[in-house]
C-alpha cells in the first residue's frame, strides 16, 4: 500500500514558487481525504439500505405468497381439517329403513391426569370425589402418588362436570376431546345394534376410536368408522319393532315365561323388519358378558338369532312340503297314524288320540307325530337331510350379526331312521328362530329360498327356487287350516287372515342326557295375509306357563299363539295390510281367548 503524505514536497515547492502558503496544501489534502471517506461511507450506507429493502421485500413477498396459498384453501381447509381431527372419533349413523336414527355420535370430553403436574394432589383427589361421587378419593390419591405420567379418571364427562373440573384450577387435570356413541331409543333393538366400546387407550390416546363390540356395530365396524360413507340403513322398521317389543314383553309377563323372542321377516326378500329378544339391555350402558353360567341367562344373549332350540312341531310342515314336491303323496293321501310307532327300541306317540288314519293335510293340521314320522319314512333319511339343507336349516343363517355366525344348527352326525323320524317333528335337531323364519318364507312365498338380512339395500338379492309354486300354494292352505281348525285356533282373527304352525318342545338338559320335565320352548310361526303371504312372524317363549286355568298350560296354543296374534293385530295396520275375513264354519274367537286345544 502506497502512503501519500499530507504535505507532498512537489506541491509545497509549487506553492512557494507561486507565493501561496504551503500550509494550505496540507489543509486541501486533509479536506480531500475526509470527503473521500464521507463519500465512501454514503455509498456503503446506500448499499446497506438497498440490501435491507430487498430483504424486506423478499420477506413480505414470502408472507404474501403464504397468505395467498392459505387464502386459496380457505373453503376446503375447514372440512379437511375436520376430517383429520375427527378421523379417530367420527362414526356414521345407523338408521331404520325410513331414516329414523338408531345410533349416532355426540361430542364429549374425557378427563385424565398428568400426576407430575399436579400442584396439590391430595386436594385434587378430594375435590374430584365431590364432582364424581362414584370415585374414591383414596384411590385417586394413590393414582396421583404413583410414578406414572398418565392416568384416566373418566372416559366421558358432561359439559357441566368439565366446567367444575376447570374451576379447580389444577394444571395436571387434562381434557381429551372425543365422541361417544349414543342410542337415543335406549333399549330399543338392543340385540340388533349390539353396542360399542372405546379402542385401545394409552398414554398418548386421550382421543380414542369408537369400535363395534357386538351386533351390527361390530359387523359393520369398518364401514361405520369411515366418515366419507353414508349412514347405514337397516331393514327394520321403528314403529313395527316397537310394537313387537312391547307386546312380547307383556306376553312374557302374562305367560310367566323366562324370556322370549320375536322375528318379523318379509317373506319375499328375507328382510328383517323386527327382531326382538327379551330380556334385553341398554346399549348405552352395555353390561359385561358373563364368564360363567348359562349364557342364555344373560340379557346379552340373542334368543332370536343365537339361541339354538328344538322347535318341535313347527318342523312338520317340511315333511309335507317334501312329500308333495317329490310327488310321494298328495294332501288327500291317507296316512296310518295307529300307534305307537315302533322304531327299534324307540316308540313314537301322539299327545292325544287322533284316530287311526288322517289325510296328509290333517296330519299337519292336527299335529300328529306318528303321521309325520310315517311321511318321513316315505322320504328317507338322506333325502330328508338334503331337503333340510336346501332350506338353510343345517347351516348358519348368514344374517349380519356376529352372534348368529356362532349359531350352527345341531343335528345327529348319523342321520338314522330314528333320527329321520324324530327330526320330522322337530326333535333331535336344534336351530334358531331365525332359521325357522327364513325357511317358512320359502314355504309360503312360492318356494323361493331367502337369506335373512338386516340391511335395507339387500332387498333385491337373487333367490333360488327350492320347491314348486304349486307345492307352496298347497302348504299355504294347510297352514290356513291349522289356524282355522287345528292347534292354532286362537289365531283365527276376524280382521286379518293368518296361517301358521305351532310347536311345543321340552327343553334339552345340557347337564345330562335327556330333557327337563315341565320346561318347554313354545313357538308359533304365522304367515299373513295367508291368501297372499307377505310376512312371516315367529314368536318363541322360553318356559311359559299360563295359569289362567286350574292347572298350568304350557303348550304353544295357550302361550305363543295369543302373543303372536296380538302382534299381528297391532302391526298389520302399520304395515298397510287391509283387513280381510277368513271364511269359517265356526264362530270366530278373540285373540286373547284361552281354551283347551288339541296340541302336538
Amino acid at each position: 500500500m502506497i502512503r501519500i503524505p499530507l504535505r507532498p514536497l512537489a506541491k509545497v515547492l509549487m506553492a512557494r514558487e507561486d507565493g501561496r502558503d504551503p500550509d494550505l496544501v496540507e489543509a486541501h489534502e486533509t479536506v480531500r481525504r475526509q470527503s473521500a471517506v464521507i463519500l465512501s461511507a454514503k455509498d456503503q450506507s446506500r448499499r446497506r439500505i438497498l440490501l435491507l429493502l430487498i430483504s424486506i421485500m423478499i420477506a413480505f413477498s414470502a408472507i404474501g405468497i403464504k397468505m395467498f396459498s392459505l387464502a386459496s384453501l380457505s373453503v376446503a381447509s375447514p372440512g379437511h381439517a375436520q376430517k383429520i381431527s375427527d378421523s379417530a372419533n367420527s362414526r356414521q349413523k345407523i338408521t331404520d329403513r325410513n331414516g329414523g336414527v338408531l345410533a349416532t355420535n355426540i361430542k364429549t370430553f374425557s378427563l385424565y391426569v398428568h400426576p407430575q403436574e399436579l400442584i396439590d394432589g391430595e386436594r385434587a383427589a378430594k375435590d374430584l370425589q365431590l364432582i364424581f361421587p362414584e370415585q374414591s378419593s383414596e384411590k385417586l390419591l394413590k393414582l396421583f402418588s404413583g410414578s406414572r405420567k398418565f392416568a384416566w379418571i373418566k372416559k366421558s364427562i358432561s359439559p357441566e362436570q368439565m366446567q367444575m373440573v376447570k374451576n379447580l384450577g389444577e394444571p395436571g387435570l387434562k381434557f381429551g376431546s372425543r365422541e361417544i356413541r349414543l342410542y337415543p331409543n335406549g333399549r330399543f333393538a338392543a340385540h340388533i345394534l349390539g353396542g360399542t366400546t372405546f379402542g385401545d387407550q394409552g398414554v398418548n390416546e386421550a382421543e380414542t376410536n369408537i369400535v363395534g363390540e357386538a351386533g351390527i356395530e361390530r359387523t359393520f365396524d369398518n364401514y361405520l368408522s369411515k366418515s366419507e360413507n353414508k349412514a347405514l340403513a337397516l331393514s327394520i322398521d321403528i314403529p313395527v319393532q316397537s310394537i313387537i317389543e312391547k307386546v312380547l314383553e307383556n306376553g312374557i309377563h302374562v305367560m310367566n315365561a323366562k324370556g322370549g323372542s320375536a322375528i318379523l321377516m318379509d317373506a319375499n326378500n328375507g328382510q328383517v323388519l323386527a327382531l326382538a329378544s327379551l330380556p334385553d339391555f341398554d346399549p348405552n350402558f352395555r353390561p359385561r358378558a358373563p364368564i360363567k353360567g348359562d349364557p342364555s341367562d344373560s340379557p346379552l344373549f340373542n334368543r332370536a338369532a343365537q339361541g339354538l332350540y328344538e322347535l318341535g312341531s313347527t318342523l312338520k310342515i317340511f315333511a309335507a312340503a317334501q312329500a308333495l314336491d317329490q310327488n310321494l303323496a298328495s294332501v288327500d293321501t291317507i296316512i296310518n297314524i295307529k300307534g305307537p310307532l315302533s322304531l327299534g327300541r324307540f316308540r313314537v306317540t301322539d299327545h292325544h288320540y287322533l284316530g287311526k288314519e288322517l289325510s296328509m293335510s290333517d296330519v299337519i293340521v292336527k299335529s300328529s307325530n306318528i303321521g309325520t314320522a310315517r311321511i318321513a319314512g316315505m322320504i328317507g333319511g338322506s333325502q330328508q337331510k338334503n331337503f333340510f339343507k336346501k332350506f338353510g336349516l343345517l347351516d348358519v343363517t348368514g344374517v349380519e350379526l356376529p352372534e348368529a355366525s356362532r349359531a350352527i344348527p345341531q343335528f345327529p352326525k348319523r342321520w338314522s331312521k330314528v333320527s329321520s323320524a324324530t327330526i320330522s317333528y322337530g326333535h333331535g335337531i336344534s336351530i334358531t328362530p331365525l332359521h325357522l323364519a327364513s325357511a317358512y318364507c320359502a314355504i309360503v312365498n312360492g318356494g323361493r329360498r331367502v337369506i335373512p338380512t338386516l340391511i335395507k339395500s339387500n332387498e333385491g338379492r337373487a333367490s333360488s327356487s327350492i320347491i314348486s309354486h304349486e307345492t307352496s300354494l298347497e302348504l299355504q292352505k294347510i297352514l290356513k287350516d291349522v289356524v282355522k281348525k287345528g292347534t292354532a285356533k286362537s289365531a283365527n282373527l276376524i280382521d286379518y287372515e293368518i296361517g301358521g304352525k305351532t310347536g311345543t318342545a321340552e327343553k334339552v338338559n345340557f347337564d345330562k342326557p335327556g330333557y327337563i320335565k315341565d320346561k318347554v320352548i313354545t313357538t308359533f310361526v304365522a304367515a299373513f295375509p295367508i291368501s297372499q303371504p307377505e310376512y312371516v312372524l315367529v314368536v318363541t317363549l322360553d318356559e311359559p306357563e299360563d295359569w289362567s286355568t286350574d292347572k298350568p298350560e304350557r303348550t304353544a296354543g295357550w302361550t305363543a299363539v295369543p302373543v303372536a296374534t296380538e302382534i299381528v293385530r297391532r302391526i298389520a295396520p302399520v304395515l298397510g295390510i287391509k283387513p280381510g275375513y277368513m271364511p269359517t264354519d265356526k264362530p270366530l274367537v278373540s285373540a286373547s281367548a284361552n281354551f283347551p286345544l288339541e296340541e302336538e
Side-chain angles (χ1 to χ4, degrees), residues 47-64:
R47 287 194 297 272
R48 288 178 177 175
I49 291 171
L50 181 61
L51 181 61
L52 180 61
L53 290 173
I54 292 173
S55 299
I56 291 173
M57 290 178 65
I58 292 173
F60 274 95
S61 296
I63 293 173

Side-chain angles (χ1 to χ4, degrees), residues 112-123:
Y112 59 98
V113 62
H114 289 169
Q116 296 177 349
E117 298 180 21
L118 290 173
I119 298 173
D120 188 343
E122 185 175 353
R123 180 180 176 183

Side-chain angles (χ1 to χ4, degrees), residues 300-345:
L300 296 176
F301 189 77
N302 188 339
R303 296 171 181 271
Q306 187 178 0
L308 292 168
Y309 309 105
E310 290 190 356
L311 295 178
S313 296
T314 57
L315 269 63
K316 290 177 179 175
I317 195 69
F318 299 102
Q322 188 168 10
L324 288 171
D325 205 56
Q326 296 179 0
N327 295 318
L328 299 175
S330 70
V331 292
D332 298 321
T333 298
I334 300 301
I335 306 296
N336 177 13
I337 64 166
K338 286 191 296 185
L341 173 62
S342 296
L343 298 172
R345 291 180 299 174

Side-chain angles (χ1 to χ4, degrees), residues 250-283:
N250 291 336
I252 290 172
H253 176 72
V254 171
M255 300 300 172
N256 304 292
K258 179 181 178 181
S261 67
I263 303 162
L264 181 70
M265 188 178 294
D266 188 314
N268 295 302
N269 56 34
Q271 285 200 353
V272 178
L273 277 73
L275 184 149
S277 174
L278 295 176
D280 59 5
F281 60 95
D282 187 341

Side-chain angles (χ1 to χ4, degrees), residues 383-403:
Q383 291 293 323
Q384 182 192 45
K385 184 176 181 179
N386 292 336
F387 194 71
F388 272 52
K389 190 170 184 63
K390 288 201 303 182
F391 279 87
L393 294 172
L394 305 184
D395 302 298
V396 294
T397 59
V399 76
E400 301 87 354
L401 293 174
E403 299 81 9

Side-chain angles (χ1 to χ4, degrees), residues 20-21 33 46 50 56 69 148 196 271 358 498 542:
R20 290 182 284 117
D21 186 357
R33 290 187 180 187
R46 289 191 188 98
L50 181 61
I56 291 173
S69 175
R148 64 181 69 189
T196 57
Q271 285 200 353
L358 290 172
I498 300 175
D542 188 356

Side-chain angles (χ1 to χ4, degrees), residues 503-581:
T504 304
E506 291 181 319
K507 292 185 69 173
V508 176
N509 192 335
F510 291 101
D511 296 329
K512 58 183 179 179
Y515 296 87
I516 305 174
K517 185 179 180 181
D518 295 335
K519 302 293 184 182
V520 298
I521 296 289
T522 64
T523 306
F524 181 53
V525 188
F528 64 98
I530 192 61
S531 58
Q532 191 172 355
E534 296 182 43
Y535 303 99
V536 167
L537 171 69
V538 176
V539 172
T540 300
L541 299 180
D542 188 356
E543 299 183 13
E545 289 184 343
D546 181 2
W547 286 87
S548 62
T549 59
D550 295 336
K551 62 177 182 177
E553 296 290 349
R554 301 185 179 94
T555 58
W558 283 89
T559 58
V561 170
V563 177
T565 304
E566 183 64 14
I567 288 175
V568 174
R569 188 179 69 82
R570 295 196 185 189
I571 66 173
V574 178
L575 295 170
I577 298 176
K578 296 180 180 180
Y581 293 89

